[in-house]
Amino acid sequence: MHSLLVIGTGSIGERHVRCFLNTSRVTVGVCEIQDQLREDVAARYRVSESFPTLKDALKTNWDAAVIATPAHTHIPIALTLAKAGINLLIEKPLSTNTQGVEELAQTIVEKDLVAAVAYVYRAHPALQAMRDAFNSGRFGKALQIVAVFGQCFPFYRPAYRDTYYADHRRGGGAIQDVLTHLLNAGEWLLGPINRLCCDADHKAIPGVEVEDTVNLICRHSEVMGCYTLNQHQAPNETTFTLVCEKGTLRFELHKCRWRWMSEPGNDWHDEPIEPIERDVLFTLQAAAFLDALEGKAKPLCTIDQAHQTLKVQIAAMESASTDTHYRNV
Ligand SMILES: NC(=O)c1ccc[n+]([C@@H]2O[C@H](COP(=O)([O-])OP(=O)(O)OC[C@H]3O[C@@H](n4cnc5c(N)ncnc54)[C@H](O)[C@@H]3O)[C@@H](O)[C@H]2O)c1
């Protein structure tokens, strides 16, 4: 049994508590600054101990910690934990800026720690299977990727106005909150994004001013990329289409499948995967992190890989804040 501390027991922190307990490989303590929330979560789950501050929590020994606080707090908390020799699973995005990231990476190496960033798409069996098929070479070189995400965020997260989402400085807005998932998955398939241009606007979500609609075009070196999302459409759908020389591959998150087509005029060939609920995905991610802790596997997403995605996300925010890339017609 590993001892695990979950820091922040809001929406995703509570899910981590539940899903890590599902693995039966950990005991879980929690640290949450809001008294009521901390007491509720501690009462509902088999939590070993609960703490109102990180300082209190660090009086106990922990093998690992999950950082599930808003993004602007990830790096200072991670640095404190890494210096104390605690292995880390950090929620996405790694941060809102690159301050302290190099120091964190160095501390992780010096203390010989396992550290991962919770880009949970990487734990999805259908995306993993599609990536394996692409990496096998049978579809040839990739030429273009098109990622499309749409979901009515207020329906799924009614309290969004009162969370970090409303504030760019705390990791809010569609680019830092959602696009980052798509970009990270794209980089996992195709390697780093090295050029981009981004257009983003607030179009529909009531009560906030941050962008809820984004179009981004980019290059993963030779491969052309297009990432587009909105957080207000009725259908909840996410697809990644990878156009290669010898066929087209598509991951459909909402259908829990990947499919491919090689001949024009033919049908898609479906590669079904058992349907998985959100908790199952997070339990798979938890198990993968514990496998890394036990030396059985590499982390699904390393700090360096999340740092690269953070640089892309920052470039997207910068690009979206100017319109100098437009040509008037
Ligand atoms: N992987 C995913 O699918 C996914 C989904 C949602 C959120 N997230 C990420 O998880 C993080 C948290 O998101 P959320 O939706 O759970 O936010 P949230 O606001 O619901 O929860 C964050 C919690 O952290 C607590 N907190 C803040 N500072 C703290 C500190 N210093 N010590 C202890 N507790 C502290 C807050 O009181 C709050 O309860 C964000 O980085 C977000 O991007 C990931």
Side-chain angles (χ1 to χ4, degrees):
M1 279 284 185
H2 304 281
S3 59
L4 180 86
L5 177 68
V6 175
I7 304 159
T9 58
S11 169
I12 214 70
E14 177 176 346
R15 197 181 288 276
H16 281 300
V17 170
R18 190 167 60 241
C19 294
F20 267 96
L21 285 172
N22 282 346
T23 67
S24 303
R25 293 164 69 182
V26 290
T27 56
V28 174
V30 296
C31 171
E32 165 60 56
I33 51 179
Q34 295 186 55
D35 294 340
Q36 190 64 54
L37 192 54
R38 184 180 65 252
E39 285 159 22
D40 283 355
V41 170
R44 272 185 288 118
Y45 297 93
R46 283 172 284 116
V47 163
S48 59
E49 288 176 279
S50 63
F51 309 90
T53 68
L54 192 55
K55 203 170 162 202
D56 293 324
L58 289 180
K59 289 176 189 153
T60 298
N61 285 329
W62 303 100
D63 296 328
V66 177
I67 302 175
T69 54
H72 68 295
T73 67
H74 290 174
I75 296 296
I77 293 176
L79 264 172
T80 304
L81 295 167
K83 285 176 183 166
I86 299 169
N87 299 292
L88 299 170
L89 178 62
I90 306 171
E91 255 308 337
K92 50 53 61 177
L94 182 54
S95 185
T96 51
N97 57 60
T98 56
Q99 213 179 327
V101 176
E102 296 287 359
E103 186 187 352
L104 175 63
Q106 208 178 321
T107 310
I108 286 163
V109 171
E110 281 166 16
K111 297 273 184 181
D112 196 19
L113 300 174
V114 171
V117 178
Y119 278 106
V120 71
Y121 287 9
R122 294 187 181 213
H124 199 293
L127 187 59
Q128 289 176 344
M130 185 176 99
R131 182 172 180 266
D132 288 347
F134 168 62
N135 284 343
S136 76
R138 76 182 228 237
F139 294 98
K141 263 189 0 188
L143 306 174
Q144 186 192 29
I145 184 168
V146 181
V148 184
F149 172 104
Q151 179 185 79
C152 182
F153 187 50
F155 177 80
Y156 295 100
R157 189 77 196 270
Y160 66 93
R161 291 180 189 80
D162 307 320
T163 72
Y164 68 86
Y165 177 80
D167 184 356
H168 277 156
R169 288 165 305 178
R170 292 190 284 147
I175 294 175
Q176 299 182 105
D177 201 35
V178 184
L179 188 72
T180 189
H181 271 300
L182 308 183
L183 299 171
N184 183 267
E187 294 197 307
W188 190 46
L189 292 165
L190 297 171
I193 290 171
N194 57 328
R195 300 181 68 201
L196 65 81
C197 174
C198 183
D199 186 13
D201 207 346
H202 175 262
K203 296 307 263 179
I205 299 189
V208 294
E209 291 174 2
V210 289
E211 77 284 351
D212 57 15
T213 310
V214 187
N215 293 322
L216 177 144
I217 55 170
C218 66
R219 291 283 185 146
H220 298 256
S221 298
E222 295 294 301
V223 185
M224 296 175 73
C226 172
Y227 293 78
T228 177
L229 71 83
N230 77 72
Q231 297 186 283
H232 40 80
Q233 70 178 34
N236 182 5
E237 296 185 348
T238 303
T239 61
F240 287 79
T241 304
L242 191 52
V243 182
C244 301
E245 288 169 323
K246 294 191 241 168
T248 296
L249 301 82
R250 178 172 288 166
F251 166 57
E252 296 176 341
L253 180 65
H254 52 292
K255 293 260 173 85
C256 197
R257 72 177 171 204
W258 80 274
R259 44 188 3 204
W260 54 270
M261 196 195 290
S262 289
E263 296 296 328
N266 274 6
D267 290 332
W268 285 102
H269 180 99
D270 285 332
E271 301 279 358
I273 304 277
E274 284 293 300
I276 55 170
E277 294 186 351
R278 205 160 144 77
D279 263 14
V280 176
L281 188 58
F282 277 77
T283 305
L284 288 170
Q285 178 180 246
F289 177 68
L290 296 174
D291 286 349
L293 212 58
E294 292 166 12
K296 295 178 189 157
K298 292 196 173 137
L300 286 178
C301 180
T302 65
I303 298 290
D304 285 350
Q305 290 163 342
H307 187 188
Q308 158 63 25
T309 301
L310 174 61
K311 289 183 203 162
V312 176
Q313 171 193 310
I314 291 168
M317 297 276 285
E318 285 170 1
S319 173
S321 69
T322 83
D323 61 3
T324 51
H325 43 263
Y326 275 103
R327 295 285 171 273
N328 290 324
V329 179

